[in-house]
Structures are given as C-alpha cells and as structure tokens.
C-alpha cells in the first residue's frame, strides 16, 4: 500500500463544547447535535480542517444519498473489505477493521440501529485518521462515515417519530425540511411531503412575529373545527387526534399558562402540532396550497419559539446535558454517550 500524508485535524473543542477535550471527529459532533454530517463538516472547514481532508470530499458532503440500512451494510462491507486487503497496516488497525466488518454485516438487523450506526461511524472515522491511506481509500471511508453518521441520526429520529415535526426536531430555527429530510433519506417520508416544501414567502414574514401575536392568531382560528377536515381514522392527523390537541391547548390557556415555563413549552408544542396536524389533514383535500403552507409555516414558527424557551430554561437551570425526551435535542449528549459505549467503537 502506498502511503500518503497523514490527516491533520485541530481539536474541535471548545467550539463543540459538549465533547471531550481534543475530540476531532466530525461524526461525534454531528451525533451530539443531531446535525447532518455535511453541515458539521462545513462549520469546521475553515479553522479546523485541512483543504485536502477527505471529510470535505464531495462524496462525503453529498446530502441526498440513501440511508437505508441494507444498502449501507453492503457498502460498508465492500469498503472495509478493500481496507482489510491492504498491505502494511499497523498491527492495531487490522483487528479494528475486522471488527468493523462484522458490525457492517450486523447493521441491517441491529436491535438498536441508531446506536449501532453511530458507533460504527466514529470507529470508521478513527480508522481513517489512524492510517495514511491512499487518497481514494480515505475518500471512500469518509463517504461511508458521512452516510453512517446520518443513518444513525435518521434512525434516532425515526424511533421518536409519531407523525409530527416536534418528534424529530432538534433545530427548529432552520427551514422545516431540515429535520424531516432525514426520514426522506430513510424512505419513510416521500419528497413530496408538504412540510418539506413550504415556500420562503410563507416563512419569512413570521420571523418578526411575536409569540403572543402568533398564539392569538392560531387559537382564534378554531383549527380543529374546520369543516374541510377529514376523519382519517388511525392517522396522527385524524379528527380525534386533533381534538385532543385542541383540548390540551384550551386547558392550558384557561389555567393562565406562562409561556416561559415547562407548562408553556408543552402548550407551544401542542399548539404547533395542532396547526401542523390540521395542515397535513387538509393536504389530503387541497394538496399543496396556500392554506396548507400558511398553517405549516405558523406551526414551524411556534415550535421554534418553543425551542428557544426550552433552551433558555435549561441555561437558567444550569443544565448542560441533553437527554432523551426533552423534545428539543432529544438525543444529544445521551445519544453520543450511548454510541461511544457500544461496539464496535469500544
């Protein structure tokens, strides 16, 4: 094997402040914040990554690749097979590649696919950094690291998904499709899902809308009583499900809910989901029209306000960990810790 120059990376700490000091794995940062690999790589492009870092190759930064586990398992086995056949590997690297090969074959039937894929992503990236691979080998590994990282995040989101954006939202200050796009790459949602296609003309005017004004605007529309709504039995957007959300909102308001509180965050989630559910129900009748997009844009803004409130409450309480279930960064540090504690990373 013809060796090339080793990959040099500066530690990402303190920018990625929740990681261990000295950590320089793009995959770890992406897993921690539930951000796409390409998004994180571009954040560190200028100050932490060399121009020829394989993690910046166009193959690694491709954002539309499939994340289906069977396809990814075959691709991982192919790439790792090539690496394992290389000559001149350090004694401590080949056993790790062989372990990763076994993990690749087990990905499709893993009991905890999110953790399995996340563990593989970090182990693969460490192997990539440990050896001065030929450029084509390093690029193949980097592309695999990117897909495996995004697969882990997508599977984590899928495990929480009940039909609403709030289930998978870690970053609702960005466009609505940012979070749900992971589920499209898994094949769970179609690219035509209206939440992925809300035009900017509906989103932009809401950036300056106050929380009070948005709340009044949504509550006085009596959303669940819209005569156009369909029954849709068994759907998360059924009339019955929407009335439950409506009841939650009404109860919170009647009790004088304070927005900047845990109860306020729960209210904002219910109201945002109510608007989203009504929009998704109406989409069965109207398709992608202005009424649907208007509701989806307002839902997105309400849930973004909720993110801001929860983050503010967490800071005031001195909380740093982001554990499963808070609905804003539902994986966060707990997810990263689980991936680090699982084979093949350990």
């Amino acid at each position: 094997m013809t060796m090339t120059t080793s990959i040099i990376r500066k530690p990402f700490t303190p920018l990625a402040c929740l990681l261990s000091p000295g950590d320089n794995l793009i995959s770890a940062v992406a897993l921690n914040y539930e951000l796409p690999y390409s998004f994180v790589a571009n954040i560190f492009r200028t100050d932490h990554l060399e121009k020829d870092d394989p993690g910046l190759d166009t193959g690694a930064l491709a954002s539309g690749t499939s994340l289906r586990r069977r396809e990814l398992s075959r691709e991982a086995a192919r790439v790792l097979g090539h690496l394992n056949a290389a000559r001149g590997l350090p004694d401590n690297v080949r056993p790790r590649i062989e372990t990763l090969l076994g993990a690749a074959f087990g990905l499709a039937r893993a009991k905890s696919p999110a953790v399995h894929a996340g563990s593989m992503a970090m182990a693969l990236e460490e192997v990539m950094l440990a050896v001065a691979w030929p450029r084509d080998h390093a690029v193949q590994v980097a592309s695999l690291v990117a897909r495996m990282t995004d697969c882990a995040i997508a599977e984590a989101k899928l495990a929480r998904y009940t039909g609403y954006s709030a289930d998978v939202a870690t970053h609702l200050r960005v466009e609505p499709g940012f979070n749900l796009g992971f589920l499209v790459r898994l094949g769970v949602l179609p690219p035509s899902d209206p939440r992925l296609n809300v035009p900017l003309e509906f989103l932009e005017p809401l950036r300056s809308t106050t929380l009070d004004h948005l709340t009044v605007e949504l509550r006085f529309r009596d959303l669940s009583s819209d005569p156009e709504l369909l029954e849709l039995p068994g759907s998360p957007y059924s009339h019955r499900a929407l009335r439950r959300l409506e009841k939650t909102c009404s109860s919170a308001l009647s009790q004088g809910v304070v927005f900047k509180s845990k109860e306020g965050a729960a209210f904002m989630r219910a109201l945002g989901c109510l608007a989203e559910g009504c929009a998704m129900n109406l989409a069965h009748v109207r398709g992608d029209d202005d009424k649907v997009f208007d509701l989806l844009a307002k839902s997105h803004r309400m849930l973004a306000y909720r993110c801001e409130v929860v983050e503010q409450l967490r800071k005031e309480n001195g909380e740093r960990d982001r554990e499963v279930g808070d609905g804003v960064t539902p994986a966060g540090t707990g997810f990263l810790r689980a991936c680090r504690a699982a084979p093949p990373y350990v």
Side-chain angles (χ1 to χ4, degrees):
M1 180 176 72
T2 304
M3 297 292 186
T4 59
T5 305
S6 297
I7 302 166
I8 299 173
R9 283 185 181 172
K10 299 176 183 178
F12 296 156
T13 307
L15 182 56
C17 58
L18 296 182
L19 301 179
S20 300
D23 206 332
N24 61 356
L25 301 181
I26 298 171
S27 56
V29 181
L31 292 169
N32 190 62
Y33 294 101
E34 281 201 355
L35 289 166
Y37 176 96
S38 58
F39 188 93
V40 174
N42 281 317
I43 288 175
F44 294 122
R45 177 189 291 271
T46 304
D47 297 325
H48 294 80
L49 303 177
E50 300 292 326
K51 290 182 179 179
D52 60 349
D53 191 304
L56 295 176
D57 187 81
T58 52
L61 299 181
S63 58
T65 50
S66 169
L67 300 178
R68 290 180 174 89
R69 280 186 283 147
R70 290 192 181 279
E71 296 176 21
L72 196 50
S73 175
R74 289 193 292 267
E75 175 66 10
R78 183 188 67 79
V79 172
L80 287 163
H82 288 165
L83 298 186
N84 201 37
R87 297 180 180 179
L89 287 176
D91 293 340
N92 64 330
V93 172
R94 192 179 299 279
R96 200 163 194 199
I97 292 175
E98 292 172 350
T99 300
L100 277 164
L101 258 173
F105 289 119
L107 176 62
R109 59 181 184 278
K111 292 182 179 179
S112 300
V115 170
H116 189 102
S119 179
M120 281 194 69
M122 291 188 293
L124 280 164
E125 192 167 7
E126 286 191 349
V127 166
M128 182 186 77
L129 297 174
V131 178
W133 299 102
R135 177 69 183 177
D136 61 330
H137 283 54
V139 165
Q140 286 185 56
V141 179
S143 298
L144 184 58
V145 170
R147 289 183 67 191
M148 200 68 73
T149 300
D150 287 355
C151 175
I153 296 168
E155 290 286 354
K157 290 180 181 294
L158 178 60
R160 302 191 302 268
Y161 184 63
T162 65
Y164 289 94
S165 299
D167 300 326
V168 300
T170 53
H171 305 278
L172 271 164
R173 297 179 184 85
V174 293
E175 66 275 10
F178 188 90
N179 296 292
L180 293 173
F182 282 101
L183 302 187
V184 174
R185 294 174 67 188
L186 275 180
V188 175
L189 293 179
S192 59
D193 189 299
R195 292 170 295 185
L196 296 159
N197 300 294
V198 181
L200 281 175
E201 64 195 77
F202 291 90
L203 295 167
E204 286 294 340
L206 294 174
R207 296 190 189 280
S208 58
T209 301
T210 66
L211 177 56
D212 287 335
H213 180 77
L214 184 59
T215 301
V216 169
E217 193 167 323
L218 286 175
R219 288 301 298 134
F220 276 86
R221 290 177 69 161
D222 201 14
L223 295 174
S224 69
S225 299
D226 192 316
E228 286 190 85
L229 291 175
L230 302 175
E231 284 299 330
L232 303 179
S235 165
Y237 320 118
S238 67
H239 232 147
R240 184 177 179 181
L242 297 177
R243 282 195 294 269
R244 280 200 303 267
L245 288 168
E246 180 84 50
K247 186 177 180 179
T248 299
C249 294
S250 298
S251 175
L253 285 177
S254 67
Q255 294 174 29
V257 64
V258 177
F259 288 151
K260 188 184 169 184
S261 67
K262 289 185 178 180
E263 294 75 17
F267 164 74
M268 285 184 270
R269 186 189 195 282
L271 185 53
C273 288
L274 176 60
E276 180 181 352
C278 289
M280 295 301 288
N281 187 308
L282 290 171
H284 284 79
V285 179
R286 290 174 163 264
D288 294 356
D289 80 343
D290 287 3
K291 186 173 182 178
V292 171
F293 286 141
D294 177 66
L295 280 174
L296 288 175
K298 287 182 169 64
S299 166
H300 177 73
R301 189 70 190 100
M302 177 58 69
L303 294 172
Y305 269 127
R306 177 183 178 273
C307 281
E308 294 169 12
V309 167
V310 174
E311 284 292 328
Q312 190 174 357
L313 289 172
R314 181 183 288 115
K315 288 177 182 177
E316 289 178 359
N317 294 332
E319 298 175 23
R320 295 186 63 208
D321 246 12
R322 304 176 178 215
E323 300 293 349
V324 175
D326 67 18
V328 179
T329 46
T333 305
F335 182 39
L336 177 60
R337 189 183 299 122
C339 293
R340 281 178 165 157
Y345 186 72
V346 291

